[in-house]
Amino acid sequence: MTDERPTVRPVTLARLVEVTHLCQNSPQTTENVEQRLGVSHRRARETILEALRIGLLDELPDAYYEATAVGDSFVQAVENQDWKQVSVILETRSPHYSNFLEILEQEGPGSLDRVLNELENQAEFTTYSYNQTSIEVLGNWGKCLGTVQRNAFTGEYYRPQNDTPPA
């Protein structure tokens, strides 16, 4: 895709895995994704677009989508439960996720508002933008992968000392 979206789409990590896995063995249309994943057309399209943005999928002629080599590696890392590798792929391919982790690393624990403010400041001269939903999406990706935790009492996001999720 040539047009970079300024914000991350509200797509869960599980949906990224599902759509990439679905497109691994044979190219799929949006309608196929919609039917196979049991989601609305809008949700299927949004998930495909985010997977394209990250580089997990390629668009083929006639609006078909297939997994890229990065997408194959992403699914393989999930199947191997190599959460560190999944995170590395997302850090490399998604500037939003990378910037989110970088802010937490540099600034330490922070509330949603503080993290959002720091990301907005960092993105001032870029094409990227952030909002509350994008922070929650990125935080959920990080929580799933063990790279981010959120304090149950204060709601602050932080990087754990050990990037390995609990067993």
Side-chain angles (χ1 to χ4, degrees):
M1 291 180 58
T2 56
D3 294 335
E4 182 68 21
R5 179 183 164 97
T7 60
V8 67
R9 288 177 179 82
V11 174
T12 65
L13 188 59
R15 284 288 182 216
L16 287 175
V17 173
E18 289 175 329
V19 76
T20 307
H21 184 263
L22 183 61
C23 295
Q24 267 189 307
N25 296 324
S26 63
Q28 303 291 318
T29 64
T30 303
E31 290 74 23
N32 295 136
V33 170
E34 179 183 341
Q35 292 171 352
R36 299 278 305 274
L37 299 183
V39 296
S40 68
H41 183 80
R42 182 177 176 196
R43 176 59 63 191
R45 185 74 185 138
E46 194 166 61
T47 304
I48 289 168
L49 290 173
E50 190 63 15
L52 283 168
R53 184 184 71 81
I54 296 173
L56 303 176
L57 299 180
D58 266 338
E59 186 170 7
L60 303 174
D62 299 325
Y64 277 84
Y65 305 93
E66 72 177 353
T68 62
V70 172
D72 290 339
S73 296
F74 178 75
V75 171
Q76 186 65 49
V78 170
E79 289 173 347
N80 292 338
Q81 298 182 20
D82 186 350
W83 309 123
K84 178 77 172 161
Q85 182 60 28
V86 175
S87 185
V88 166
I89 291 168
L90 290 176
E91 286 177 61
T92 304
R93 306 299 299 185
S94 172
H96 295 94
Y97 182 67
S98 176
N99 292 340
F100 175 71
L101 294 180
E102 184 179 305
I103 288 295
L104 291 179
E105 192 69 39
Q106 291 174 354
E107 303 296 326
S111 67
L112 188 144
D113 288 338
R114 179 173 172 224
V115 171
L116 178 57
N117 187 49
E118 293 294 332
L119 284 167
E120 287 174 335
N121 288 340
Q122 184 186 56
E124 184 177 1
F125 300 107
T126 70
T127 58
Y128 305 119
S129 65
Y130 299 87
N131 56 34
Q132 179 176 341
T133 300
S134 65
I135 302 304
E136 290 171 349
V137 167
L138 297 168
N140 285 336
W141 289 4
K143 286 190 298 185
C144 288
L145 299 172
T147 59
V148 172
Q149 292 182 357
R150 192 164 187 193
N151 185 301
F153 299 105
T154 66
E156 287 188 331
Y157 290 98
Y158 63 96
R159 294 290 304 259
Q161 296 302 315
N162 180 356
D163 283 348
T164 305

